[in-house]
Amino acid sequence: AQSVTQPDIHITVSEGASLELRCNYSYGATPYLFWYVQSPGQGLQLLLKYFSGDTLVQGIKGFEAEFKRSQSSFNLRKPSVHWSDAAEYFCAVGAGHSGYSTLTFGKGTMLLVSP
Amino acid sequence: DAEITQSPRHKITETGRQVTLACHQTWNHNNMFWYRQDLGHGLRLIHYSYGVHDTNKGEVSDGYSVSRSNTEDLPLTLESAASSQTSVYFCASSEKGAQPQHFGDGTRLSIL
């Protein structure tokens, strides 16, 4: 069975500083990987996805993530954080076959942005 | 614009009562999912459906049921609500295959 580990429960970053959120996955085959963001009281919004091809993927809001098969990682990055980026971030791995797939989520990383 | 709508947004009920949470999507997606979100656990899959009349159990399905009579709706029923089922519930939908899931805004359910 697949699993996702987000080692950091909370991260505090100063506004304007760079950000990296860590994600490690466990899955036997080529994974489908996603990052979602959740603002308080709202559902999850897709930031970016990796299916295949280029291992550096660009997403919305200036985020990017790099797939590293050798490290089983899919870390999320942003060069300059804005106060509006404060939210909870979830990494997820998709697994399935024949066109059907479920997602397994990590437990999330709460991003706090200090002025 | 297509969307996924959950109702109610908030509900308080008593232990032992039957509760049904609604989920309606206008994306025309085949796949629909129900998750619960609890502090320290992230999102855990309760039930999912790959199409009309198809339902499958997820990681934490005990005490929950779903039925899929059309493409747009996947209601989640708690047969006899327990305090351990107090949580925030999210519905999601996606196209076939390993496609991104679109999420509703959630239902906060409190069982007293």
Side-chain angles (χ1 to χ4, degrees):
Chain A
Q2 64 270 22
S3 66
V4 176
T5 301
Q6 294 180 246
D8 303 304
I9 298 174
H10 298 98
I11 281 186
T12 300
V13 175
S14 299
E15 190 169 15
S18 64
L19 169 70
E20 183 170 30
L21 301 182
R22 296 182 291 165
C23 172
N24 293 99
Y25 69 90
S26 173
Y27 183 58
T30 300
Y32 304 103
L33 294 162
F34 307 85
W35 274 100
Y36 285 84
V37 60
Q38 183 182 32
S39 297
Q42 297 188 9
L44 278 69
Q45 180 185 20
L46 179 70
L47 284 176
L48 47 79
K49 62 186 179 185
Y50 170 79
F51 285 176
S52 63
D54 194 346
T55 56
L56 184 64
V57 294
Q58 302 297 320
I60 62 171
K61 305 184 180 186
F63 286 92
E64 66 178 26
E66 186 172 12
F67 171 61
K68 292 185 177 180
R69 183 187 300 275
S70 62
Q71 299 178 17
S72 297
S73 68
F74 189 57
N75 294 348
L76 182 71
R77 301 193 295 247
K78 187 170 185 178
S80 178
V81 168
H82 188 261
W83 64 266
S84 60
D85 293 323
E88 190 157 23
Y89 292 79
F90 293 93
C91 181
V93 60
H97 59 88
S98 301
Y100 303 101
S101 176
T102 61
L103 293 184
T104 298
F105 286 84
K107 295 182 178 180
T109 297
M110 181 66 72
L111 174 64
L112 306 173
V113 180
S114 60
Chain B
D1 286 347
E3 60 182 3
I4 181 165
T5 306
Q6 294 184 235
S7 61
R9 290 297 313 277
H10 303 271
K11 186 171 181 65
I12 301 173
T13 191
E14 298 176 343
T15 56
R17 290 188 179 268
Q18 183 182 78
V19 178
T20 297
L21 308 183
C23 176
H24 179 81
Q25 54 100 0
T26 58
W27 291 94
N28 199 34
H29 286 159
N30 286 302
N31 299 349
M32 295 186 73
F33 308 85
W34 273 105
Y35 297 89
R36 60 178 290 175
Q37 183 177 30
D38 303 287
L39 200 62
H41 290 277
L43 278 85
R44 293 180 290 176
L45 184 62
I46 305 171
H47 281 286
Y48 56 102
S49 169
Y50 288 141
V52 176
H53 302 311
D54 175 75
T55 62
N56 305 278
K57 293 182 178 181
E59 175 188 359
V60 290
S61 61
D62 286 349
Y64 303 94
S65 64
V66 294
S67 62
R68 186 92 178 268
S69 59
N70 58 50
T71 300
E72 296 80 18
D73 299 290
L74 186 70
L76 177 71
T77 298
L78 287 68
E79 301 293 344
S80 178
S83 57
S84 60
Q85 294 176 307
T86 291
S87 186
V88 181
Y89 291 86
F90 287 98
C91 181
S93 70
S94 73
E95 295 178 9
K96 270 188 177 181
Q99 297 299 324
Q101 294 180 12
H102 299 258
F103 283 80
D105 286 335
T107 294
R108 184 174 294 275
L109 178 63
S110 297
I111 301 168
L112 307 178

